[in-house]
Amino acid sequence: MSGAPNASIQIDDAGRLRHLITTEGLPRTLIERILDTAETFVPAAGAPPKKVPLLRGKTVFNLFFENSTRTRTTFELAAKRLSADVINMDVAHSSRSKGEDDLDTLYTLEAMGADIFAIRHPENGAAARFAAHAADNVAIINAGDGSHAHPTQALLDVFTIRRHRPDFANLSVAIVGDVSHSRVAHSTIHALRTLGTTDIRVVGPKRFLPDNAESLGVTTTGDIAAGLSGADVVMGLRIQRERIAGDALEGVADYHERFGLTASNLAHAKPDALVMHPGPINRGVEINADIAYGNQSVILEQVRNGIAVRMAVMAIIAGNSNAR
Amino acid sequence: MSGAPNASIQIDDAGRLRHLITTEGLPRTLIERILDTAETFVPAAGAPPKKVPLLRGKTVFNLFFENSTRTRTTFELAAKRLSADVINMDVAHSSRSKGEDDLDTLYTLEAMGADIFAIRHPENGAAARFAAHAADNVAIINAGDGSHAHPTQALLDVFTIRRHRPDFANLSVAIVGDVSHSRVAHSTIHALRTLGTTDIRVVGPKRFLPDNAESLGVTTTGDIAAGLSGADVVMGLRIQRERIAGDALEGVADYHERFGLTASNLAHAKPDALVMHPGPINRGVEINADIAYGNQSVILEQVRNGIAVRMAVMAIIAGNSNAR
Amino acid sequence: MSGAPNASIQIDDAGRLRHLITTEGLPRTLIERILDTAETFVPAAGAPPKKVPLLRGKTVFNLFFENSTRTRTTFELAAKRLSADVINMDVAHSSRSKGEDDLDTLYTLEAMGADIFAIRHPENGAAARFAAHAADNVAIINAGDGSHAHPTQALLDVFTIRRHRPDFANLSVAIVGDVSHSRVAHSTIHALRTLGTTDIRVVGPKRFLPDNAESLGVTTTGDIAAGLSGADVVMGLRIQRERIAGDALEGVADYHERFGLTASNLAHAKPDALVMHPGPINRGVEINADIAYGNQSVILEQVRNGIAVRMAVMAIIAGNSNAR
């Protein structure tokens, strides 16, 4: 997917957020508006999450063509805290399914009175296809499509970074793992670039490194010491065990030693570097439990912030829809 | 199932709707009351669906012994827009299960405080069995039982027709497809007959035509030209691919050409004939996508109206229950 | 699991209920407070269940690592009637899963803003493990862990008994079935003992009888006549058919004759003995349908009371949490 069509599809004629499909090409002003709005939804320390009536009377469909109880739950909670009615729909997606079937589902659920869809789909570009065919009053939020994009995860990542390290232009970020297949990494890299970060290093074994590093605007290395050297933020990615288990040269233990977020590997980064991970973690694979729950980690903050960021996206899109 | 026991089970001593099991034998006054009430729940053009407090404090169980995410969602939305609490229960139904097990489930859920059940079940007559054993303050709505009945689908069909062609007595309706196994077709035919329609044609290959055409009050034909000739309404039924795929003489393409709702087949009907389908459609099988989303089609109106009709049924039944 | 650590984990420094993990070691005053509170939630005869705002703004997660639609529904209804937001999460639990994975799940859902978890888990001690690691403002309710405990079922059992036979000290209770593997039986025995009942008989074939009868404070017998002789309460347990079906000497029919709650076996108990069962029943196996729905049976009362008891537990725990 090139950025241009997605970028244009998600912004209305007045330059406001219409859908959220990708962070690629999403203007800095819109990203900052989402982050600023999300700040209002983060509960104060020790306080319960806020419940606000911004989506009262609206219906949010969590339309998941790929099973993800955890991500579905974050959208469900965000929508309920905005007082929306929420419908969870897990839809089987077989290799036989066609894009046309998806559109029939879209049109049918629109006719039931859906206002917002959070869509998880195994195919790259699926969310954009839904957006291209959505009715005027219906918005699509991409909850992850193939290895393409996962924009709400990226926004919660930069939101979490901003709360601790607001000077994006002078930030060094290292992303460790299978960036080549990671929608999270792609979306987070785009968001960081737009916010002004220029020093983004992708670290991992050769076959995990993206082919398009230059156009992404990142540097790549297979050397964890070089990749983490002086980094302000170190982000681990969840590893599909299947991708490394069968590999004779590089089993799980070897991967953990070479690329896992461990005390010895982290020693290469700044002493107060933030440790991040999109979750769920594989202990002893891409991260060590002591690090995951250690005092540099903001992993659970990411989860908490994820609700606030998703509330912000839905509230902004619904507000824009009402204003049209 | 004969009509008499079902008809009597679903009406209380004062002649009011008590359960909704079948459209067979359902008095015209009750059908019209449902349709009139449903009119009040259809959102104005461009307006969001209404949310009303008619079922506040009531608990609606969607008790599905057969998987149907789509139908379940229509009942869930209808109940939520009436402000009910909704519990979704997907219950495994094995061939070993006995009717007694169903009753144990009914009694247990009644004890939990259920007010209304929307029940989908693979066996003919299951909804009537639940109704026969339901407590005084509990109502059963049949959400489809075997090949027997699917009354809310039938009511949304006649509701949709009435909005465009209110003179049921002078209507020619053609139903195309496997009527013999279709609970939708059976229920819609009963509703149309009660509302005064006398010209109902069933069109399809011989083995799809019902054995009891005469008692149903329909004519049958294997000739699409004759069946659609001068029709005001043409209703396609979803085809189970398995029923035609293995058939040497009549594959999917052949079925589509002979019985699909295509431009050339529809040319036999009136030029402004309504095109209907209960959904979900199989593009290129029983209907062509251009027709499904063309200007004669009311298929998406059917979906939208389905929420209003289900709200009406629940609201009327709950009102009658309160009045007893 | 010994009682002491569980007992201490579920009570806070002020002696108030903090989590609900087990009835073993749960003080009588706390049990009675739960039962008294539950009384306020039982609907009056013919009246609808009450809906109260005690958990408004709170989020209850039904976190089920083992499928149980029925139990999950009772917690969902109880939470909704307290006005909580409810999230249902069915989580796959494989034999490969480690306790650490559970903790990662706990920490993640806490970060999303969970207040109360109702947890069903296949492993003994799982609920206590969650409680040991829960955040200060988060409470765990054990919805059944392995063969260890099912405290809300035990509390609804003693609640139901108290409504009919309040003099626990002078009660004879017979529990019939596979007590050795039954978390329900274990929890109910502990609750009865704490409330003062000394005459508790466990009845069943030898391999179903608990090894630790003496420490449990029960007597055991394989003779149904002796076991039920003069009993005030006869409680049947659901039989796993697999446990008896393969047994040459003692098939289902034989089990039903020897240990089933039938008219002839019940004749050994007092004429007005209460008949109880945690449900769902296996008709013709551990109970006869005429008995299950006969005038001695309080089985459906148990279901109804189960909602009230679960409401009471959640309301008390939430109130204690607010007070800390």
Side-chain angles (χ1 to χ4, degrees):
Chain A
M1 304 292 303
S2 77
N6 285 333
S8 66
I9 221 172
Q10 65 188 348
I11 297 172
D12 69 15
D13 293 340
R16 294 171 304 200
L17 196 64
R18 163 86 179 82
H19 306 284
L20 179 64
I21 307 303
T22 175
T23 52
E24 188 178 3
L26 190 65
R28 181 172 184 147
T29 51
L30 291 187
I31 292 180
E32 290 180 337
R33 169 127 193 259
I34 293 168
L35 304 191
D36 293 346
T37 304
E39 284 289 350
T40 69
F41 294 129
V42 175
K50 295 175 187 178
K51 190 150 184 175
V52 292
L54 293 172
L55 260 67
R56 192 174 299 291
K58 303 269 188 190
T59 303
V60 174
F61 274 70
N62 288 320
L63 186 56
F64 275 53
F65 295 89
E66 199 179 63
N67 199 27
S68 175
T69 307
R70 179 182 154 141
T71 301
R72 193 259 292 156
T73 298
T74 62
F75 280 98
E76 184 177 356
L77 278 171
K80 285 184 170 171
R81 292 196 180 135
L82 292 167
S83 306
D85 282 324
V86 183
I87 302 285
N88 291 320
M89 283 190 87
D90 289 325
V91 183
H93 184 79
S94 74
S95 53
R96 262 187 32 203
S97 301
K98 300 182 197 146
E100 295 166 347
D101 298 328
D102 288 350
L103 297 186
D104 292 336
T105 299
L106 172 67
Y107 301 145
T108 298
L109 301 183
E110 284 181 347
M112 292 183 193
D115 295 289
I116 294 177
F117 291 89
I119 295 179
R120 165 67 61 103
H121 201 287
E123 292 173 12
N124 291 356
R129 186 172 66 233
F130 277 93
H133 292 87
D136 282 350
N137 58 334
V138 168
I140 307 296
I141 298 175
N142 186 0
D145 60 334
S147 60
H148 169 242
H150 193 352
T152 58
Q153 176 70 40
L155 290 166
L156 77 87
D157 286 346
V158 295
F159 179 81
T160 303
I161 293 171
R162 194 177 77 160
R163 294 197 118 210
H164 295 275
R165 303 282 184 273
D167 185 7
F168 283 103
N170 290 302
L171 215 57
S172 296
V173 178
I175 306 179
V176 187
D178 185 1
V179 171
S180 150
H181 295 92
S182 169
R183 54 191 172 205
V184 172
H186 290 147
S187 288
T188 299
I189 289 167
H190 289 303
L192 283 169
R193 296 275 302 160
T194 299
L195 291 170
T197 303
T198 53
D199 182 9
I200 307 177
R201 307 98 173 254
V202 167
V203 188
K206 192 165 180 98
R207 68 190 187 292
F208 284 0
L209 302 178
D211 296 332
N212 59 338
E214 202 171 340
S215 67
L216 273 175
V218 300
T219 55
T220 61
T221 175
D223 177 355
I224 190 87
L228 264 58
S229 173
D232 301 285
V233 174
V234 181
M235 192 176 297
L237 297 177
R238 180 173 174 82
I239 289 293
Q240 306 298 327
R241 279 171 197 266
E242 308 75 47
R243 288 194 188 276
I244 49 173
D247 191 326
L249 291 175
E250 203 182 87
V252 166
D254 187 43
Y255 184 88
H256 186 61
E257 187 183 332
R258 287 180 57 199
F259 298 106
L261 301 196
T262 60
S264 62
N265 283 335
L266 267 182
H268 300 295
K270 285 201 181 142
D272 63 348
L274 300 180
V275 172
M276 304 179 71
H277 189 290
I281 62 170
N282 288 306
R283 294 175 179 225
V285 185
E286 77 273 2
I287 194 164
N288 178 291
D290 289 344
I291 299 298
Y293 297 111
N295 56 20
Q296 287 177 255
S297 171
V298 293
I299 294 175
L300 293 176
E301 273 186 60
Q302 287 176 274
V303 174
R304 187 196 58 179
N305 293 341
I307 309 286
V309 164
R310 291 179 177 105
M311 289 174 74
V313 170
M314 289 189 202
I316 288 170
I317 284 178
N320 292 344
S321 173
N322 291 340
R324 267 197 305 271
Chain B
M1 304 292 302
S2 77
N6 285 333
S8 65
I9 221 173
Q10 65 188 348
I11 297 173
D12 70 14
D13 292 342
R16 294 171 305 198
L17 195 65
R18 165 86 179 81
H19 307 284
L20 178 65
I21 307 304
T22 175
T23 51
E24 188 179 3
L26 190 64
R28 180 169 185 151
T29 51
L30 291 188
I31 292 180
E32 290 179 336
R33 169 125 192 260
I34 294 168
L35 304 192
D36 294 345
T37 304
E39 285 290 349
T40 70
F41 294 129
V42 175
K50 296 175 185 178
K51 190 150 184 176
V52 293
L54 293 171
L55 259 67
R56 190 173 302 289
K58 302 270 188 188
T59 303
V60 174
F61 274 70
N62 288 320
L63 186 56
F64 275 53
F65 295 89
E66 199 179 63
N67 199 27
S68 174
T69 307
R70 179 182 154 140
T71 300
R72 192 260 292 155
T73 298
T74 62
F75 280 98
E76 185 177 357
L77 278 171
K80 285 185 170 170
R81 292 195 180 136
L82 292 166
S83 306
D85 282 324
V86 183
I87 302 285
N88 292 320
M89 285 190 85
D90 288 325
V91 184
H93 184 81
S94 74
S95 54
R96 261 187 34 204
S97 301
K98 300 182 197 146
E100 293 166 348
D101 297 328
D102 288 350
L103 296 186
D104 291 337
T105 299
L106 171 69
Y107 301 146
T108 298
L109 302 183
E110 284 180 348
M112 292 183 192
D115 296 287
I116 294 178
F117 290 90
I119 295 179
R120 164 68 60 103
H121 202 288
E123 291 173 12
N124 292 355
R129 185 172 67 233
F130 277 92
H133 293 87
D136 281 352
N137 58 334
V138 168
I140 307 296
I141 298 175
N142 185 359
D145 61 333
S147 59
H148 170 242
H150 193 352
T152 58
Q153 177 70 40
L155 290 166
L156 77 87
D157 286 346
V158 295
F159 179 80
T160 303
I161 294 172
R162 193 177 77 160
R163 293 196 119 210
H164 294 275
R165 303 281 184 274
D167 185 8
F168 283 103
N170 290 302
L171 215 57
S172 297
V173 178
I175 305 179
V176 186
D178 186 1
V179 170
S180 152
H181 295 92
S182 169
R183 54 192 172 206
V184 172
H186 290 147
S187 287
T188 299
I189 289 166
H190 290 304
L192 283 168
R193 295 276 301 161
T194 299
L195 292 170
T197 304
T198 54
D199 182 9
I200 306 177
R201 306 98 174 254
V202 167
V203 187
K206 193 167 179 96
R207 70 190 185 292
F208 283 2
L209 302 179
D211 294 333
N212 59 338
E214 202 169 342
S215 67
L216 273 175
V218 300
T219 56
T220 61
T221 175
D223 177 357
I224 190 85
L228 265 57
S229 172
D232 300 286
V233 174
V234 181
M235 191 177 297
L237 297 177
R238 181 174 174 80
I239 290 294
Q240 306 297 326
R241 279 170 196 267
E242 307 75 46
R243 286 193 189 276
I244 50 173
D247 191 326
L249 291 176
E250 203 182 88
V252 166
D254 187 43
Y255 185 88
H256 187 61
E257 186 183 333
R258 287 178 60 198
F259 297 108
L261 301 197
T262 60
S264 62
N265 282 337
L266 268 183
H268 300 296
K270 286 200 181 145
D272 64 347
L274 300 179
V275 171
M276 303 180 72
H277 189 290
I281 61 170
N282 288 306
R283 293 175 180 225
V285 186
E286 78 273 3
I287 195 166
N288 178 291
D290 290 343
I291 299 299
Y293 297 111
N295 56 19
Q296 287 177 255
S297 172
V298 294
I299 294 174
L300 293 176
E301 274 187 58
Q302 288 176 274
V303 174
R304 188 195 57 180
N305 293 340
I307 308 288
V309 164
R310 290 178 178 107
M311 290 174 73
V313 169
M314 290 188 203
I316 288 170
I317 284 177
N320 291 344
S321 173
N322 292 340
R324 266 198 306 273
Chain C
M1 307 290 303
S2 78
N6 284 332
S8 67
I9 220 172
Q10 64 188 348
I11 297 173
D12 69 16
D13 292 342
R16 294 171 305 200
L17 195 64
R18 164 87 178 80
H19 305 284
L20 179 63
I21 307 304
T22 174
T23 52
E24 188 178 3
L26 189 65
R28 181 171 185 149
T29 52
L30 291 187
I31 292 180
E32 290 180 337
R33 171 132 189 256
I34 294 168
L35 305 191
D36 293 346
T37 305
E39 285 288 350
T40 69
F41 295 129
V42 175
K50 293 175 188 179
K51 189 149 183 176
V52 293
L54 293 172
L55 259 67
R56 189 172 303 288
K58 302 269 188 188
T59 304
V60 174
F61 274 70
N62 288 320
L63 186 56
F64 275 54
F65 295 88
E66 198 179 63
N67 198 29
S68 174
T69 307
R70 179 182 154 141
T71 301
R72 192 259 293 156
T73 298
T74 62
F75 280 98
E76 184 177 356
L77 277 171
K80 285 184 170 172
R81 292 195 179 135
L82 292 166
S83 306
D85 282 323
V86 183
I87 302 286
N88 292 321
M89 284 191 86
D90 289 326
V91 183
H93 184 79
S94 75
S95 54
R96 263 186 32 204
S97 301
K98 300 181 196 146
E100 295 167 348
D101 298 327
D102 288 350
L103 297 186
D104 291 336
T105 298
L106 171 68
Y107 300 147
T108 298
L109 301 183
E110 284 181 348
M112 292 184 194
D115 296 288
I116 294 177
F117 290 89
I119 295 181
R120 163 69 60 103
H121 201 288
E123 290 173 12
N124 291 356
R129 186 172 65 233
F130 277 92
H133 293 87
D136 281 352
N137 58 335
V138 169
I140 307 295
I141 298 175
N142 186 0
D145 61 333
S147 61
H148 170 242
H150 193 353
T152 58
Q153 177 71 41
L155 290 166
L156 76 87
D157 285 347
V158 294
F159 179 81
T160 304
I161 293 171
R162 192 177 77 160
R163 294 197 118 209
H164 295 275
R165 303 280 185 275
D167 185 8
F168 283 103
N170 290 301
L171 215 56
S172 297
V173 178
I175 306 180
V176 187
D178 185 2
V179 170
S180 152
H181 294 93
S182 170
R183 54 192 170 204
V184 171
H186 291 147
S187 287
T188 298
I189 289 166
H190 289 304
L192 282 168
R193 295 275 303 161
T194 299
L195 291 170
T197 304
T198 54
D199 181 9
I200 306 178
R201 306 99 174 252
V202 167
V203 189
K206 192 166 182 99
R207 71 190 185 292
F208 284 1
L209 301 179
D211 294 334
N212 60 339
E214 203 170 340
S215 67
L216 273 175
V218 299
T219 56
T220 61
T221 175
D223 177 354
I224 190 86
L228 265 57
S229 173
D232 300 285
V233 174
V234 181
M235 191 176 299
L237 297 177
R238 180 174 174 82
I239 290 293
Q240 306 298 327
R241 280 170 196 267
E242 308 75 47
R243 287 194 189 278
I244 49 173
D247 191 325
L249 291 174
E250 204 182 89
V252 167
D254 187 43
Y255 184 88
H256 186 62
E257 186 183 332
R258 288 179 58 200
F259 297 108
L261 302 197
T262 60
S264 63
N265 282 336
L266 268 182
H268 300 295
K270 285 198 182 148
D272 63 348
L274 299 180
V275 172
M276 304 180 70
H277 189 289
I281 62 171
N282 287 305
R283 292 175 179 224
V285 186
E286 79 273 2
I287 195 165
N288 178 290
D290 289 344
I291 299 298
Y293 297 111
N295 56 20
Q296 286 178 255
S297 172
V298 293
I299 295 174
L300 293 176
E301 274 186 57
Q302 287 175 273
V303 174
R304 189 195 57 180
N305 293 341
I307 308 288
V309 165
R310 291 179 176 106
M311 289 174 73
V313 170
M314 290 188 202
I316 288 170
I317 284 177
N320 292 343
S321 173
N322 291 340
R324 267 198 306 272

